[in-house]
Amino acid sequence: MVIKLRRYYGDEQVTKSVMEVFLEDEEKPRLKCEAREARFREYRETFPGASRYCLPVGRWRLKPGCSEFGTMTLRVTRCPGHRCVLLGWDAFRQWREGMVCMGVVVSQEAPAEERIIEGGMEVYGRLERLVYEAFGKGEEMWVEISNEL
């Protein structure tokens, strides 16, 4: 399984991405949604306070495990400046430090800086079913992050 985060907007508060989920050897994404992370900063090496920013660009291993969201929550276990970043959702906030929040955009016509997401619980449920499928097939799980700002 590969989750691709293609960032299209970032500022001092939030980072916005299109998220696509591919199972092994598939060319079309099984899930396409929006993702939100903490404030934007482009970096590849750790620095003091890096955990308060979005994840660095690159390819990072994902591992499933138990969390407040369910028994198969994906997490980025280790990358520069971060430990245990969850892929989840929040009913009240657009983003949280230490988490990649997912959902669907309310209005695609809105300018990038004004786009908000909702429906995170439903999107997370779809992702969780894909995680179970990939886990059952013995697939490795990765997140690939790119900046297209």
Side-chain angles (χ1 to χ4, degrees):
M1 170 184 272
V2 175
I3 296 176
K4 294 184 179 183
L5 291 179
R6 290 181 295 116
R7 295 182 176 140
Y8 65 86
Y9 179 81
D11 62 20
E12 66 280 346
Q13 290 187 342
V14 66
T15 303
K16 299 180 180 186
S17 307
V18 172
M19 181 173 138
E20 295 177 318
V21 181
F22 298 83
L23 291 188
E24 198 170 273
D25 300 325
E26 293 183 351
E27 293 182 22
K28 291 181 74 174
R30 290 271 201 105
L31 173 65
K32 187 173 181 177
C33 63
E34 285 278 321
R36 300 291 184 266
E37 298 172 81
R39 66 188 72 162
F40 179 76
R41 181 166 174 175
E42 190 161 348
Y43 64 99
R44 294 184 190 272
E45 303 289 327
T46 190
F47 59 92
S51 63
R52 290 189 226 123
Y53 291 87
C54 60
L55 292 165
V57 168
R59 179 176 165 99
W60 312 109
R61 181 173 295 284
L62 294 169
K63 295 213 175 190
C66 192
S67 78
E68 63 190 273
F69 304 110
T71 57
M72 292 296 274
T73 302
L74 290 176
R75 63 191 78 227
V76 179
T77 56
R78 196 180 314 168
C79 68
H82 297 269
R83 283 180 279 156
C84 196
V85 175
L86 299 176
L87 275 69
W89 61 279
D90 192 300
F92 303 105
R93 294 182 274 183
Q94 291 290 296
W95 62 272
R96 282 175 33 187
E97 284 182 13
M99 182 180 295
V100 176
C101 292
M102 59 191 78
V104 293
V105 172
V106 174
S107 173
Q108 286 287 355
E109 291 77 36
E113 64 272 8
E114 295 176 16
R115 289 182 196 156
I116 59 171
I117 58 172
E118 62 181 22
M121 186 165 86
E122 293 81 14
V123 173
Y124 178 81
R126 291 174 57 202
L127 175 64
E128 189 175 44
R129 286 189 290 281
L130 293 173
V131 172
Y132 273 105
E133 185 178 338
F135 186 81
K137 293 177 179 178
E139 293 184 17
E140 290 187 346
M141 298 178 198
W142 299 88
V143 62
E144 295 176 355
I145 302 170
S146 62
N147 291 334
E148 299 178 358
L149 303 173

